[in-house]
Amino acid sequence: MGEQASGRAIPAAPPAPQGKGSAKKAASRPAAKPSAAKPESRLAMVRRARRINRELAEIYPYAHPELDFRNPFELLVATVLSAQTTDLRVNQTTPALFAAYPTPEDMAAAVPEELEELIRPTGFFRMKAKSLLGLSQALRDDFGGEVPGRLEDLVTLPGVGRKTANVVLGNAFGVPGITVDTHFGRLVRRWKWTEQEDPEKVEADICTIFPKSEWTMLSHRVVFHGRRICHARNPACGACPIAPLCPAYGEGETDPEKARKLLRYEKGGRPGQRLSPPPDYPGLPAPPLGDPAP
């Protein structure tokens, strides 16, 4: 995805919508030189990747997990529910779910049909209910009702794979990890950090580029960028602060004014995905289920 063009100059990015000086830096940054026939070296790629991460840290200083949760159990359940749906829809669904089943013991004893009805808005509700019942029973019976803080334990739970485990470890336990979701995978391939398609191979490649201390926040920043600016079908290239570092520049809209209209969530002046965002989030909270967005 996104072959590097030959002989095409990549213009400096237009001012960023937000981000602690990134707009000023992006506007003053010289245009990238036309790409040469010589392929990018491993060292050059690593340097470019780390610079992108630094830029994203300035653009999204408030990057965070976009699932509402108050404890490891809630994050685990919300992450399982997030498969094949949006974090927004999960966040709109979980308040009633956790009011009914606040602990693993409560959820383990749930009537399947009642649990299914509560999570129906997230889609695939029968399969997800089976996973939630299974993981809750395992937490009750095998882990004393507590979510374990080790990857090798988490992946033994029904419905919990490596991606879900890394989300929980990184955001509930502070254990660094790369979370390879759809957005993360397509952006790191677009940026030529890896050519792998398999999530575990993508994770392995990216772990060799960045220090372990960066893994969790890198995941948030890349996902934020993918949801807000670097869309799958029509990326807002003309409004992207890291355009000069992107080998796929030009795949999307390059006109600055048209590109700004493609920005989403807080970058586009609209609500984010969390009903209860962190205090430093600069956008609007999402509306509850059934309420229209402002």
Side-chain angles (χ1 to χ4, degrees):
M1 185 179 259
E3 294 182 5
Q4 186 165 354
S6 178
R8 179 182 65 200
I10 299 177
Q18 292 170 331
K20 289 189 176 181
S22 286
K24 184 176 180 181
K25 285 170 56 181
S28 62
R29 189 187 297 130
K33 296 179 181 179
S35 57
K38 183 179 178 181
E40 185 178 43
S41 68
R42 165 77 182 179
L43 178 59
M45 182 276 289
V46 169
R47 287 174 173 170
R48 179 172 58 83
R50 292 185 177 185
R51 185 177 173 189
I52 287 175
N53 183 41
R54 292 194 298 271
E55 295 282 336
L56 292 178
E58 293 194 4
I59 299 164
Y60 308 107
Y62 49 87
H64 60 273
E66 294 191 89
L67 292 168
D68 287 328
F69 70 98
R70 295 168 297 184
N71 54 58
F73 176 63
E74 290 191 357
L75 179 58
L76 176 61
V77 169
T79 306
V80 170
L81 291 177
S82 69
Q84 304 298 314
T85 191
T86 63
D87 287 355
L88 170 59
R89 183 50 58 93
V90 174
N91 292 335
Q92 292 172 325
T93 302
T94 50
L97 177 67
F98 294 136
Y101 311 113
T103 69
E105 292 83 357
D106 294 321
M107 192 169 288
V111 176
E113 292 77 14
E114 294 177 1
L115 178 59
E116 289 174 3
E117 193 58 32
L118 281 171
I119 66 173
R120 181 184 288 267
T122 68
F124 301 95
F125 58 91
R126 290 189 181 90
M127 177 184 68
K128 291 178 180 179
K130 184 178 179 180
S131 293
L132 294 186
L133 287 169
L135 71 85
S136 297
Q137 290 162 3
L139 292 177
R140 179 196 63 193
D141 298 341
D142 302 331
F143 296 100
E146 299 291 333
V147 176
R150 301 193 312 163
L151 187 142
E152 53 265 41
D153 292 330
L154 284 167
V155 296
T156 67
L157 301 173
V160 177
R162 192 177 181 91
K163 184 190 83 170
T164 296
N166 277 331
V167 170
V168 173
L169 290 173
N171 298 289
F173 293 100
V175 178
I178 297 288
T179 302
V180 183
D181 71 353
T182 302
H183 299 286
F184 189 94
R186 66 178 174 79
L187 261 66
V188 297
R189 285 187 291 272
R190 185 173 273 173
W191 292 335
K192 305 299 184 186
W193 296 358
T194 182
E195 295 181 353
Q196 299 293 339
E197 296 283 344
D198 178 80
E200 288 195 24
K201 292 180 179 179
V202 171
E203 179 186 346
D205 278 357
I206 305 307
C207 285
T208 67
I209 299 174
F210 297 94
K212 194 171 184 178
S213 60
E214 288 290 312
W215 290 354
T216 298
M217 286 310 301
L218 170 72
S219 299
H220 292 322
R221 293 164 191 154
V222 173
V223 171
F224 257 60
H225 195 64
R227 286 176 169 167
R228 287 149 178 79
I229 297 178
C230 195
H231 315 309
R233 294 184 180 177
N234 193 15
C237 295
C240 180
I242 62 167
L245 301 171
C246 180
Y249 175 84
E251 284 191 2
E253 180 59 64
T254 58
D255 179 84
E257 291 303 318
K258 292 180 180 178
R260 286 188 186 98
K261 294 178 181 179
L262 299 174
L263 301 178
R264 296 176 185 166
Y265 302 116
E266 77 281 358
K267 294 297 185 184
R270 293 183 290 277
Q273 301 210 70
R274 293 191 67 166
L275 279 65
S276 302
D280 62 344
Y281 178 65
L284 301 168
L289 191 65
D291 286 6

